[in-house]
Amino acid sequence: MGVIKDIQTSLGTVYERYDRNNELIQTFGSIGFIKESTGQKKMYFIITDLSGNLIDDANVYLNEKIGDDKYKKRETAFSALKVFFSFLKLVHIDNPKNITNGDIRDLRLFLEGGQKEGSIWSIDLQIRRDNQTFNNYLNVYRNFLEKMYGITDSSLFETTTVGTTVGKGFFAHNQKNVQERYTANKKVSQQQSVPKYIKPYEYEKIMEVVEESYGLREKVIIDLMYNYGLRIGEVLGLTFEDIEPSYQSGYYNLIIRDRMSDKPTQRAKGVMTPTSTDDYNNRSYSTEGNHLGYQAILIDEEMADFIEEFIDESRDDIVLSKSIKKRENLKNKAIADRVGTTPLLNNENQYIFLNHQHYTPLTQAGWSYILREIFKRAGIPIDKRTKSTNLSHRFRHAFAMKKVKQGVQIVELQEALRHAISESCKAYYNPDDEDKADLLRKHNERFKEAYDKTSIK
């Protein structure tokens, strides 16, 4: 019996098929990248095969059929279609219009991931998608097949009735509403779990790996998330002018704000997102506060020094003199809109964190690939059979849990997390069995102490 395995890369997943003698007989997959047009500032999602040939139908759908939809929807479709066209390569289907109901049954098994035994072929895939992601991808395939080929009669579109509700019609008469779901979809639990957080001993392991095999960039990014609670998008959106001296001696402010030059994955939450450069002159854009122009995070001098050291190290003249392309990318593609008043060399503002290979701004996809490797080396569980966990967000959860264990009140936690309401902070209280045991021990100690005092009296 043969087996199909997967290899994760920064551009997508590559699949390998082995025969019963463990000999490699096929390598297949669909990969892609995201590119911004220089003129229109539009994001293009591009999918190719492993030889670099464009998959035209996928690209027309992503950039024309749903080209005006929200970035997150297009990003999900981008990920889903890479899996879809990889599957078509596996079963030797050249045209998606030729997919049969039997193929769709096999597509569902391929999409699930994990380990499965078949009569001829088995799969042993690192990724196992949760039910919600599974359903989201199937929804993409339905929309793709319908918009590109007018297909609506395959088993993907079959529905079943799951219930009825009774409401009032326009003239107050009872009105039945039938609730249906696609039969190919899976049931999704309404309960949502938050990502686990990084514990202090795990943080130490991670930093040991960074110290040994990585550099200042990784150290600074992880510290900003773990010790200061920044989201990864906020980190990647930081620029030279966003580091300002504080009125408090020995401290600096990190200014969290959005710019027109930001890509969607560099945006912050809870701040004003400009729709044109005219918004930079808006009083609200220059006002600090939740859902106003910007937020400020106080960092110590040592953290500021690390950031400045990384900036100097990454822009070293000797490094740049060895690559004309890096120098050009730094000058043309790493430039950020100038919106502040912090003095800068040549009055030029740049995004701080760069892709080492191309010297363009570091992307979330690129960072996630790096972080997964760091977690693996550190022996930190990464839920490798599901993509549902945001690894970077574990550091922000760790920041919150540290505050909770320090005994801060909910209002203080709300301020530290920069949330608009305190209720949303409760999602960050995510104790595991070890934490619960520790809390129980502390409770018993307090009870015993109170009992002993009462006995003495």
Side-chain angles (χ1 to χ4, degrees):
M1 180 185 298
V3 64
I4 299 167
K5 298 183 179 181
D6 59 344
I7 301 172
Q8 304 303 316
T9 76
S10 58
L11 295 178
T13 305
V14 175
Y15 299 90
E16 294 180 339
R17 186 162 63 165
Y18 295 84
D19 64 17
R20 64 181 63 193
N21 298 318
N22 205 31
E23 295 288 336
L24 178 64
I25 59 174
Q26 183 186 7
T27 300
F28 63 98
S30 298
I31 56 178
F33 57 91
I34 304 170
K35 187 175 180 62
E36 182 180 20
S37 66
T38 53
Q40 299 176 332
K41 294 289 183 181
K42 182 177 179 180
M43 305 301 296
Y44 287 91
F45 292 79
I46 308 298
I47 295 180
T48 74
D49 61 21
L50 295 185
S51 298
N53 300 310
L54 294 173
I55 300 178
D56 292 333
D57 286 358
N59 296 323
V60 168
Y61 174 77
L62 289 168
N63 301 300
E64 295 182 19
K65 298 295 185 181
I66 63 169
D68 294 328
D69 288 356
K70 291 185 177 180
Y71 180 88
K72 194 65 181 176
K73 179 179 178 180
R74 296 177 68 205
E75 186 180 45
T76 298
F78 175 64
S79 299
L81 288 178
K82 285 191 289 184
V83 178
F84 181 74
F85 280 92
S86 294
F87 172 77
L88 295 186
K89 284 285 186 184
L90 170 65
V91 295
H92 305 292
I93 295 177
D94 295 327
N95 192 328
K97 289 189 292 186
N98 298 328
I99 194 168
T100 67
N101 288 339
D103 295 325
I104 289 172
R105 182 188 63 247
D106 293 337
L107 170 63
R108 293 178 75 250
L109 294 174
F110 184 74
L111 182 59
E112 284 178 354
Q115 295 177 324
K116 291 182 177 64
E117 294 283 340
S119 57
I120 301 176
W121 294 99
S122 298
I123 62 173
D124 182 10
L125 305 180
Q126 297 180 49
I127 291 173
R128 180 168 187 169
R129 295 174 180 86
D130 62 32
N131 289 0
Q132 185 61 65
T133 302
F134 180 89
N135 292 347
N136 289 343
Y137 281 24
L138 291 188
N139 289 337
V140 169
Y141 303 153
R142 292 186 190 98
N143 192 261
F144 172 74
L145 292 172
E146 182 175 1
K147 285 194 172 183
M148 293 300 298
Y149 314 112
I151 296 174
T152 58
D153 58 353
S154 78
S155 60
L156 266 181
F157 294 86
E158 293 177 0
T159 60
T160 184
T161 300
V162 294
T164 58
T165 59
V166 178
K168 294 294 183 181
F170 186 75
F171 292 106
H173 60 276
N174 287 339
Q175 177 177 300
K176 283 188 176 182
N177 297 311
V178 178
Q179 296 177 323
E180 295 183 326
R181 73 173 180 85
Y182 290 109
T183 54
N185 282 16
K186 294 185 175 184
K187 292 182 180 179
V188 178
S189 170
Q190 295 301 312
Q191 184 178 2
Q192 295 183 347
S193 60
V194 293
K196 294 179 180 180
Y197 70 95
I198 297 297
K199 296 196 171 187
Y201 70 87
E202 292 177 320
Y203 169 74
E204 290 178 4
K205 287 182 179 179
I206 288 169
M207 297 314 285
E208 285 176 5
V209 171
V210 169
E211 182 74 25
E212 179 181 337
S213 304
Y214 292 84
L216 199 52
R217 180 186 65 176
E218 289 73 23
K219 171 182 170 52
V220 170
I221 291 176
I222 289 172
D223 272 349
L224 286 174
M225 295 189 294
Y226 182 79
N227 290 319
Y228 296 96
L230 271 72
R231 302 174 179 91
I232 184 58
E234 295 168 343
V235 173
L236 299 181
L238 287 174
T239 72
F240 290 170
E241 66 178 359
D242 295 330
I243 309 168
E244 297 183 354
S246 169
Y247 292 113
Q248 190 170 350
S249 178
Y251 291 88
Y252 287 77
N253 281 317
L254 281 184
I255 306 302
I256 306 298
R257 55 189 159 201
D258 285 349
R259 294 174 171 81
M260 286 293 296
S261 57
D262 290 346
K263 289 182 170 55
T265 53
Q266 291 174 302
R267 297 266 164 83
K269 288 188 177 180
V271 299
M272 175 182 172
T273 299
T275 56
S276 74
T277 54
D278 291 337
D279 287 338
Y280 296 153
N281 300 316
N282 189 316
R283 178 179 294 181
S284 294
Y285 187 78
S286 303
T287 304
E288 180 184 355
N290 252 316
H291 299 290
L292 293 173
Y294 68 92
Q295 298 170 348
I297 299 175
L298 197 68
I299 63 173
D300 61 31
E301 190 170 26
E302 183 181 33
M303 185 75 251
D305 287 343
F306 278 131
I307 297 174
E308 292 290 349
E309 184 181 345
F310 169 72
I311 292 173
D312 292 341
E313 177 186 279
S314 59
R315 274 79 175 176
D316 184 77
D317 288 337
I318 297 177
V319 174
L320 293 175
S321 66
K322 295 178 180 178
S323 173
I324 296 176
K325 188 64 176 176
K326 285 183 178 180
R327 191 164 60 246
E328 289 178 349
N329 285 346
L330 187 63
K331 184 177 181 180
N332 299 320
K333 296 184 178 182
I335 296 298
D337 287 353
R338 185 84 158 94
V339 299
T341 58
T342 303
L344 296 177
L345 182 65
N346 299 325
N347 202 37
E348 184 177 273
N349 196 28
Q350 294 179 4
Y351 291 103
I352 293 175
F353 299 104
L354 304 173
N355 175 308
H356 285 337
Q357 185 176 359
H358 304 294
Y359 266 52
T360 54
L362 182 63
T363 64
Q364 281 200 27
W367 170 250
S368 295
Y369 182 77
I370 294 167
L371 190 57
R372 289 179 74 87
E373 291 303 312
I374 292 175
F375 272 44
K376 287 178 183 178
R377 293 191 184 195
I380 309 296
I382 58 173
D383 303 326
K384 67 179 182 178
R385 299 201 176 272
T386 176
K387 282 189 172 180
S388 63
T389 302
N390 184 332
L391 297 183
S392 290
H393 214 58
R394 290 195 198 180
F395 292 105
R396 182 168 162 84
H397 276 260
F399 171 77
M401 283 298 289
K402 285 191 295 180
K403 294 289 184 183
V404 169
K405 290 184 177 184
Q406 289 168 6
V408 301
Q409 299 300 309
I410 187 69
V411 175
E412 296 173 296
L413 183 60
Q414 175 190 344
E415 182 177 349
L417 291 172
R418 296 169 283 121
H419 279 206
I421 57 175
S422 58
E423 186 69 20
S424 59
C425 297
K426 292 181 180 179
Y428 286 84
Y429 182 64
N430 187 33
D432 59 13
D433 289 344
E434 183 181 340
D435 295 319
K436 291 174 183 177
D438 186 49
L439 289 170
L440 180 60
R441 179 182 56 78
K442 290 180 179 178
H443 171 76
N444 291 338
E445 288 176 354
R446 286 195 296 269
F447 179 81
K448 184 177 183 301
E449 183 179 343
Y451 178 80
D452 290 343
K453 288 181 179 178
T454 303
S455 299
I456 293 173
K457 292 179 180 179

